[in-house]
Amino acid sequence: MTTRIIVLAAGKGTRMKSAMPKVLHRLAGKPLLGHVLDTSESLNPTSITVVIGHEADQVKSTITHAVQWAMQTEQLGTGHAVKEGLEGIEDDDTVLITYGDVPLTRASTYQALLDVCNDKTVGLLTLIMDDPTGYGRILREGGAVVGVVEQKDASSDQLTISEVNAGVVSIKGGTLRDLLSRIDNKNAQGEYYLTDIHELAVKDGLSITAVHPDDAWEVDGVNSRSQLARLERLHQAQVAESLMDAGVTLADPARLDVRGTLETGRDVVIDVNCVFEGHCVLGDNVEIGPNCLISGSTIASGTKVLANCVFENASVGENATIGPFARLRPGTKTDNNIRIGNFVETKNTHVGASSKINHLSYVGDATLGKNVNVGAGTITCNYDGANKHQTEIGDGAFIGSNSALVAPVVVSEGATVGAGSTITRNVPADRLSLSRAKQTDIENWSRPVKNK
Ligand code: UD1
Ligand code: CA
């Protein structure tokens, strides 16, 4: 069976009051349309066609999925939009039609619709809602679905129907093409409604099988920022639930945001207000303190991240302590048992086992061996105004506080750099190197006193 998916995403989303097309607004860090396309791809269809119109170029340049684009230059309605997406679709194909602004429908729900579709049957996603306002209503006769009426075209009797059209349809390509050629725009909105195909289908002797989602939020569309925020919280609540199911302790499931994928080991503990972006991995017994932003990073077993740390594409070994207030920038990699303390910034740096950078330092473009101690206020001067240079610090070296290491420079094994030094030449192994003015003590000096 050849499955083809058409995603409608040409609308402007007027109620978002945005310069950006609605389908590019983000839920859990990913465009709404990206969610729909990820779910669509998981069904391995032969093709996915996205119908775009409003700000089409922005949509095309943001979305990286392998899809076919179809243009709907004027938004004349959902039926018209599907027509624009029919290219390449054969009569015998099974077509699934979805909306780019309904991000959280499960793949299993799409699959259930595909499963009921055949030459005689159209699948339609519907559900009973406490407040059906705004949705198309499902018309039934003797229990069978006979059509869909839009809110704006419904009689007062029809408005009391609580079964609504979620929008997703499965239908054979030939049937779809034929029915779409017969719909008109004589309705309250002057639009070609996709929903008009159902009444025509029933008249042709086809039947409509209603499929229901497991959860009502699967059909929630985003029309306003308020709905987007509500759906974000719903989604985050589910992510938190599944993390807890997997054995993670969350100080407050309502104060965690995962904008990507978070892999966790056993007995991970996450304090409040943490945000995870991209793909992150936390090993067994990792503890994350409050207010941390962890992006694209891996933190190995037993490591503690204290409050207010920021990680970006970093990888930390086992049993380390990071923070509070540490910033690990891209390319930071550490071995086990290291310590990176408060107000330390690292970038493109490898920190060897058991080394410490405890306070107030910038360490960039550097390689530290094991058991290195970097004193407070140490700066690797990696940038000469034009190029970046490397600093190398050997095993067991000790860098005194407030030192500037002017790269390119090597501090060899076991070397000690005296506090306050500016190091411009390589430091030999096992020596004390100093580059600071000697202290002078002036005798018989008296401190000035204020004039009366
Ligand atoms: C539609 C359904 C309604 C259903 C509801 C579920 C129709 C006529 N109505 O109404 O029965 O209850 O969805 O959410 O189908 N779009 C285009 N081109 C257009 C018009 C729309 O691409 O010319 C796209 C929009 O970008 C959006 C989707 O189609 O992604 C739905 O359009 P929208 O205007 O939001 O339809 P609703 O009024 O919500
Ligand atoms: Ca809508």
Side-chain angles (χ1 to χ4, degrees), residues 92-145:
D92 200 38
D93 293 344
T94 301
V95 183
L96 184 79
I97 303 166
T98 69
Y99 294 168
D101 60 354
V102 182
L104 297 182
T105 317
R106 288 194 176 99
S108 54
T109 304
Y110 285 172
Q111 189 59 53
L113 278 158
L114 289 171
D115 291 344
V116 301
C117 176
N118 59 45
D119 289 334
K120 293 261 143 232
T121 313
V122 174
L124 181 62
L125 188 65
T126 80
L127 83 164
I128 310 278
M129 274 189 178
D130 293 339
D131 179 11
T133 312
Y135 286 89
R137 307 297 207 283
I138 305 299
L139 306 176
R140 288 183 182 261
E141 271 171 24
V145 176

Side-chain angles (χ1 to χ4, degrees), residues 279-297:
H279 181 65
C280 294
V281 182
L282 307 181
D284 294 346
N285 301 304
V286 164
E287 290 179 22
I288 308 289
N291 308 318
C292 291
L293 169 60
I294 313 279
S295 185
S297 295

Side-chain angles (χ1 to χ4, degrees), residues 253-276:
R255 282 184 286 169
L256 166 81
D257 279 55
V258 179
R259 300 173 190 153
T261 48
L262 178 56
E263 252 180 68
T264 49
R266 288 168 71 100
D267 295 310
V268 166
V269 178
I270 302 174
D271 212 325
V272 299
N273 296 331
C274 291
V275 175
F276 294 88

Side-chain angles (χ1 to χ4, degrees), residues 7-13 15 22-23 51-53 72 74-82 98-102 134-137 148-152 164-168 189 191-196 219-223:
V7 184
L8 303 189
K12 178 164 186 240
R15 276 177 283 165
K22 176 166 71 179
V23 291
V51 182
I52 47 175
Q72 186 198 25
E74 265 187 296
Q75 279 74 68
L76 303 179
T78 49
H80 178 258
V82 174
T98 69
Y99 294 168
D101 60 354
V102 182
Y135 286 89
R137 307 297 207 283
V148 178
V149 62
E150 290 305 297
Q151 161 98 16
K152 287 183 177 146
V164 307
N165 171 32
V168 191
Q189 304 187 76
E191 286 183 6
Y192 293 90
Y193 292 160
L194 174 63
T195 42
D196 283 354
V219 308
D220 282 354
V222 173
N223 297 302

Side-chain angles (χ1 to χ4, degrees), residues 203-221:
K203 282 186 178 147
D204 285 357
L206 300 177
S207 65
I208 315 287
T209 297
V211 167
H212 311 297
D214 287 343
D215 287 292
W217 47 255
E218 286 188 63
V219 308
D220 282 354

